[in-house]
Amino acid sequence: KEVLTKLAKEKWSNIKIADRVIDTEGASNNHHEWVIIGVLYKEMKLRQSVLDDFKGSGTGMGTEASDMATNITSSDDILILEDDSGRIAVNGGDILKTEHIVTGVVLALKGRVDSQGVLQVSDYLSYDACYSNSQLSNTKNGEDNYIMLVSGLGMGKPRSPEEMVAANDPGDVELSRQMLLDWLSGRIGDENEVKKSSLVSRLIIAGDSIDVPAIDSNAISLTYGPSRTKLEKEHQLKCSNIIKRFDAYLAMGLASLPIDVMPGKTDPAVQNLPQQPLHPCLLPVSSRFSSLSLVTNPYDCRIGESSTGCRVIGHSGQPVSDIVRQTDFSTLNNDSMATEDKSPSETAAAAAHSSLQALKMTLQWGHIAPTAPDTLPCYPLTDSDPFIMPSVSSKENDKASLTDDNNTPHILFAGNQPCFASELIEKASYRTLLLCIPSFRETGTAVLVNIRTLEASTINFQIDSDDDDDNAVAMEI
């Protein structure tokens, strides 16, 4: 709020800024404009009540699963701006579309309060107006320097042919994963590819690396005594073997380059955001390598010099997936075709567009996970918010510039998205590359980023299932 207040004073110097939302009560007879800063709440008619989880005979798991897979935005949704003093209804019109907003966004809104006590928005200001980042200086003699990002390795039990068809599995995922390490170590590819792989300085694994099978709760509930203990031990053994395979896989890759491992939705970690790193005792072999970093989700790092290197911020995809199910960005793409009328390629393109727009909005809003804790589980934090984009250190000084610090990420990524998408945001004071990293298990695709130029490309490692040769391998760059 402090940053937005300063920005609003600079942009709308002749308009009064309300100290509290409640100060605008009774202003419907006035015709002057206000600037009000607060948190937006989106009331969604299709959102299920938390009490629905306790209805019926189960624990609500089926309801939760269906809710997470269904878009819950509608034309009946309304926006409300609130702070600790009160709330006011908001009509954003075409300027601030309700279908593009989620709960938890902090904005400065300019407008008039009508006779119904509704704020009619004429303009708004978001947090990204304070961003800045310096020119990258993390390469020597102008040489290229790459990082690779991959998510959704899905190390788990083999799927049946029926499950692979239902999940659109690309083929032999084990071979695809091995090809990824072989490429990074320079064992496959032509001379140019070997040279490029030698310039990769880090691999970031953005969650969902371990696909532990769920225990059969029905069988457990109907089994007692030694038989139940046997089922539980068999499940524990399966989970242990999967984690051991991932541990061995990491150890092979760590011989070639440093690897950062983030937890994700399917990994053996507490699901509340920010997710804490995987415990080293789960990975006894690979954790001996100094080149392994077990990191949090979201993750913030800098490649190169500590102050001027490439700043990378990202998460394993939960915040973007949650925003997508509460918004509708199809109007931004002039896409009015019904979902059932789309071809698979058109559906994938629409999904990529929605994920990229959601990621772009989090950059604009200055908050990585605005829907937490409303619809995303997170730790109860009272003193600070770890999801806010790095803010300027000079906010206490009213006369200081709001864009004098290197506080903005050069790369902002979201893992485990339906397919790859990228966009380079270029403003006067900052440049940021947005990346949607696809699930490797579903697509066989890894993302390569040149941190000197902020150019992104994809490398596809997978079995070519359409080829007559059963052992044919497709590696597309």
Side-chain angles (χ1 to χ4, degrees), residues 366-393:
H367 202 285
I368 296 175
T371 58
D374 184 43
T375 53
L376 271 182
C378 75
Y379 288 102
L381 301 160
T382 57
D383 298 329
S384 62
D385 189 339
F387 306 119
I388 296 176
M389 290 287 184
S391 60
V392 291
S393 60

Side-chain angles (χ1 to χ4, degrees), residues 3-263:
V3 172
L4 285 174
T5 300
K6 291 182 181 181
L7 294 171
K9 288 179 180 179
E10 293 178 1
K11 185 174 182 179
W12 304 308
S13 57
N14 58 337
I15 300 177
K16 182 179 180 180
I17 300 178
D19 294 330
R20 302 175 302 170
V21 168
I22 199 173
D23 294 338
T24 62
E25 283 193 1
S28 57
N29 295 326
N30 300 325
H31 298 288
H32 68 273
E33 288 189 311
W34 292 84
V35 173
I36 311 176
I37 301 173
V39 182
L40 284 171
Y41 172 75
K42 183 176 179 179
E43 186 173 307
M44 294 175 288
K45 305 298 183 181
L46 298 181
R47 178 181 174 181
Q48 293 177 327
S49 169
V50 293
L51 297 179
D52 292 339
D53 291 344
F54 300 95
K55 293 180 180 179
S57 58
T59 60
M61 294 304 293
T63 302
E64 181 181 357
S66 61
D67 187 41
M68 291 299 293
T70 304
N71 189 287
I72 56 176
T73 188
S74 71
S75 58
D76 296 327
D77 296 343
I78 60 175
L79 291 179
I80 298 172
L81 188 72
E82 64 179 25
D83 62 9
D84 54 2
S85 70
R87 5 171 60 190
I88 185 173
V90 173
N91 180 15
D94 293 334
I95 297 174
L96 189 67
K97 292 182 178 295
T98 304
E99 62 266 27
H100 299 165
I101 298 294
V102 294
T103 295
V105 177
V106 180
L107 295 177
L109 304 182
K110 180 173 76 76
R112 290 182 172 87
V113 180
D114 64 14
S115 60
Q116 303 298 319
V118 178
L119 178 65
Q120 302 292 333
V121 178
S122 59
D123 199 1
Y124 74 93
L125 193 59
S126 54
Y127 189 78
D128 61 328
C130 76
Y131 287 165
S132 71
N133 55 25
S134 62
Q135 184 70 25
L136 291 175
S137 59
N138 47 12
T139 58
K140 297 180 180 179
N141 302 322
E143 294 180 353
D144 290 334
N145 186 8
Y146 296 91
I147 61 172
M148 177 171 281
L149 299 101
V150 65
S151 65
L153 289 175
M155 188 77 70
K157 64 176 182 178
R159 296 183 180 182
S160 66
E162 293 78 15
E163 290 175 326
M164 293 173 64
V165 171
N168 194 26
D169 200 302
D172 191 341
V173 183
E174 291 287 346
L175 180 56
S176 299
R177 284 192 290 257
Q178 186 59 48
M179 288 174 61
L180 171 64
L181 293 187
D182 289 343
W183 187 90
L184 287 170
S185 61
R187 290 193 289 266
I188 61 175
D190 57 21
E191 182 178 350
N192 292 332
E193 293 307 312
V194 171
K195 181 180 179 181
K196 181 179 288 188
S197 64
S198 68
L199 299 175
V200 178
S201 60
R202 185 178 304 194
L203 170 65
I204 298 178
I205 302 178
D208 288 10
S209 304
I210 302 171
D211 186 11
V212 174
I215 193 169
D216 190 345
S217 56
N218 292 329
I220 290 293
S221 62
L222 298 174
T223 309
Y224 302 93
S227 298
R228 180 170 182 170
T229 302
K230 181 180 179 181
L231 285 176
E232 292 174 340
K233 287 186 176 181
E234 288 177 351
H235 180 261
Q236 292 174 1
L237 181 60
K238 290 179 182 179
C239 296
S240 176
N241 289 336
I242 291 171
I243 295 174
K244 286 180 180 178
R245 287 168 51 201
F246 181 61
D247 187 20
Y249 180 80
L250 283 180
M252 288 189 291
L254 289 166
S256 303
L257 80 169
I259 299 178
D260 298 342
V261 179
M262 301 167 55

